[in-house]
């Protein structure tokens, strides 16, 4: 029993040392512990732990009985002393074995948590890098858009000045057309006046001709 307990304790200590230092063997041990904690593994571990606790309680109970028997007799029996030492050693080894089992379980748990935390940090770093890359890309796009906007503003100003010049030319042309219209109206009025004067002159000439033709007619009579 004692040799078995020593063997188990040495194996547990070796397992703890394997978990403490990073190596390919540690990955294998972690995978093995992962499989042990799945399915029926926890039930088996609890069964073994319960059995060890029962044996430990039995050893403690035997130690208490031997201690009480020694106190009643008043003299320590050599056999009781040997049994007392054996039970004490077994109880110490079993308690130490349970403690090492708890240490292995906690080490495995913290190693898995650390691994998950590292993966999360790596994913966060990758996401941050992609965000920085997209940010740089968007900054370049914004810069290009700003330059394009500046070019468009220059074109708009140029078109605005051209539009103002065309508007001034249109106003000048409109004013010139208005002046020409007024001038043509003046010409038409002048033309009408000249036609009226011409008609008056014709009428006068006709009246003169008639007046001149009447004495000749009278003289012929």
């Amino acid at each position: 029993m004692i040799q078995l307990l020593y063997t188990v304790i040495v194996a547990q200590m070796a397992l703890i040392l394997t978990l403490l230092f990073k190596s390919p063997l540690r990955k294998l041990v972690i995978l093995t512990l992962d499989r042990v904690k799945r399915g029926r593994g926890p039930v088996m571990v609890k069964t073994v732990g319960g059995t060890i606790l029962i044996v430990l309680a039995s050893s403690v109970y035997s130690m208490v009985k031997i201690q009480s028997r020694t106190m009643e007799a008043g003299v320590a029996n050599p056999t009781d002393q040997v049994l007392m030492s054996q039970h004490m050693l077994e109880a110490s080894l079993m308690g130490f074995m349970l403690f090492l089992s708890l240490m292995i379980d906690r080490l495995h748990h913290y190693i898995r948590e650390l691994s998950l935390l590292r993966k999360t940090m790596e994913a966060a770093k990758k996401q941050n890098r992609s965000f920085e890359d997209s940010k740089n890309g968007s900054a370049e796009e914004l810069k290009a858009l700003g330059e394009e906007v500046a070019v468009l503003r220059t074109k708009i100003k140029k078109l605005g000045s051209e539009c103002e010049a065309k508007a001034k030319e249109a106003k000048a042309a409109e004013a010139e057309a208005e002046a020409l219209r007024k001038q043509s109206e003046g010409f038409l009025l002048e033309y009408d006046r000249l036609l009226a004067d011409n008609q008056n002159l014709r009428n006068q000439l006709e009246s003169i001709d008639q007046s001149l033709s009447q004495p000749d007619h009278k003289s012929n009579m």
Side-chain angles (χ1 to χ4, degrees):
M1 181 68 176
I2 295 175
Q3 292 180 354
L4 179 61
L5 291 174
Y6 272 118
T7 303
V8 174
I9 289 172
V10 171
Q12 287 178 334
M13 292 176 68
L15 190 61
I16 289 173
L17 290 175
T18 304
L19 291 174
L20 288 175
F21 299 100
K22 187 176 181 180
S23 63
L25 184 60
R26 187 174 77 169
K27 294 182 179 179
L28 181 61
V29 171
I30 291 173
L31 290 175
T32 304
L33 291 174
D34 288 337
R35 291 182 179 180
V36 169
K37 289 185 177 182
R38 296 173 185 172
R40 297 181 180 179
V43 178
M44 295 177 62
V45 172
K46 289 179 181 179
T47 303
V48 174
T51 303
I52 294 172
L53 284 175
I54 291 171
V55 175
L56 178 61
S58 177
S59 297
V60 173
Y61 179 72
S62 298
M63 291 168 59
V64 171
K65 284 180 66 177
I66 292 170
Q67 185 69 26
S68 62
R69 188 166 58 246
T70 302
M71 290 178 65
E72 289 177 358
V75 179
N77 190 358
T79 304
D80 291 337
Q81 289 181 355
V82 172
L83 291 175
M84 185 72 172
S85 300
Q86 184 178 359
H87 287 305
M88 186 176 293
L89 181 60
E90 288 179 354
S92 301
L93 292 175
M94 283 187 286
F96 189 57
M97 185 177 66
L98 291 174
F99 175 74
L100 291 178
S101 300
L102 182 62
M103 288 290 295
I104 292 170
D105 179 68
R106 291 295 89 192
L107 279 174
H108 173 257
H109 175 72
Y110 291 134
I111 289 172
R112 296 300 298 173
E113 290 292 330
L114 183 62
S115 177
L116 291 174
L117 183 61
R118 285 177 178 174
K119 289 181 180 179
T120 305
M121 290 180 65
E122 289 177 358
K125 287 181 180 179
K126 289 181 180 179
Q127 187 176 3
N128 190 19
R129 288 176 184 174
S130 62
F131 177 74
E132 290 293 334
D133 294 337
S134 63
K135 186 177 179 181
N136 293 328
S138 62
E140 292 177 357
E141 291 178 359
L142 288 174
K143 185 177 179 181
L145 288 174
E147 292 177 354
E148 187 175 357
V149 167
V151 173
L152 290 174
R153 285 180 178 175
T154 304
K155 288 183 178 180
I156 289 171
K157 289 181 180 179
K158 185 178 179 181
L159 291 173
S161 60
E162 290 179 358
C163 184
E164 288 179 359
K166 295 292 183 182
K168 290 180 179 179
E169 290 179 0
K171 287 181 179 180
E174 185 179 358
E176 186 177 357
E178 184 67 21
L180 290 173
R181 185 181 65 80
K182 290 180 179 180
Q183 187 176 3
S184 64
E185 288 179 355
F187 287 155
L188 288 173
L189 293 173
E190 184 67 20
Y191 178 72
D192 291 338
R193 187 182 66 77
L194 291 173
L195 285 177
D197 291 341
N198 188 13
Q199 187 66 33
N200 291 327
L201 289 173
R202 285 182 179 181
N203 291 331
Q204 289 177 3
L205 286 174
E206 287 179 357
S207 62
I208 292 169
D209 288 338
Q210 288 178 0
S211 62
L212 289 174
S213 61
Q214 285 178 359
D216 292 337
H217 181 69
K218 289 180 180 181
S219 61
N220 289 328
M221 292 292 294

